[in-house]
Amino acid sequence: MPRRIAVNTFGSDKIKDEVIMTARFLLVLLFLIFGLDKLTNYSGTVAYMQQVGAPMPTISTLVAIFMEFFVSWAIALGAFTRPLAVLLAVYTLGTALIGHHYWTMTGMDRFEAEINFYKNISIIGGCFLLYVTGAGKYSLDAKFGLY
């Protein structure tokens, strides 16, 4: 008898943990890339924070590096995934409001900021899904019984 794919899961139940592991990494890939850039170009990042009007640019830079590089690595590895996914969602909302305030812009600047704003909103959705699903079987959370 041939294997059948359940209509209600479309086969996802067979590869759930592999998909969650892949999704964790893809969700934070953007943060890892730009977090590393911020880490290796600290003074440039402080200058950028000043340019976009971030509060306390030096502190904002340290928060950005911590969130984008270190928190993202933890999520990629599946460590403390649920609380860090919520924290990353809050951070991402803050960066959307501070760094991509398209409603104050015109022309091409508005268009680019609006795209980035809504990309951030989409990332928040991914963080919430990760909060609900957890890190999956292939994670540090599962290894230490937190999954």
Side-chain angles (χ1 to χ4, degrees):
M1 184 148 200
R3 293 179 76 185
R4 300 183 120 187
I5 294 177
V7 175
N8 62 337
T9 63
F10 198 65
S12 65
D13 51 327
K14 296 178 185 353
I15 58 169
K16 178 181 96 170
D17 290 300
E18 292 82 358
V19 170
I20 291 172
M21 178 185 65
T22 304
R24 276 195 337 256
F25 179 74
L26 293 175
L27 180 63
V28 298
L29 180 60
L30 176 79
F31 293 110
L32 290 170
I33 292 168
F34 288 98
L36 179 61
D37 184 56
K38 288 173 176 68
L39 182 63
T40 58
N41 185 14
Y42 178 80
S43 60
T45 303
V46 172
Y48 173 75
M49 294 292 184
Q50 290 171 330
Q51 179 186 346
V52 298
M56 300 178 291
T58 303
I59 302 296
S60 293
T61 298
L62 293 172
V63 168
I65 290 169
F66 176 76
M67 291 301 301
E68 293 182 24
F69 191 72
F70 296 103
V71 168
S72 292
W73 264 117
I75 290 173
L77 295 171
F80 306 103
T81 305
R82 290 178 197 267
L84 290 181
V86 172
L87 187 61
L88 189 61
V90 171
Y91 169 78
T92 303
L93 178 60
T95 62
L97 294 171
I98 293 169
H100 307 300
H101 45 90
Y102 69 91
W103 51 90
T104 66
M105 301 173 180
T106 59
M108 189 53 81
D109 288 340
R110 178 187 173 96
F111 179 70
E112 290 174 8
E114 187 173 10
I115 289 171
N116 287 319
F117 179 87
Y118 285 104
K119 282 181 185 177
N120 279 28
I121 299 304
S122 296
I123 291 167
I124 292 168
C127 288
F128 287 158
L129 280 173
L130 190 55
Y131 168 72
V132 170
T133 64
K137 182 168 85 173
Y138 303 112
S139 66
L140 292 175
D141 286 349
K143 180 178 172 107
F144 296 110
L146 301 173
Y147 166 64

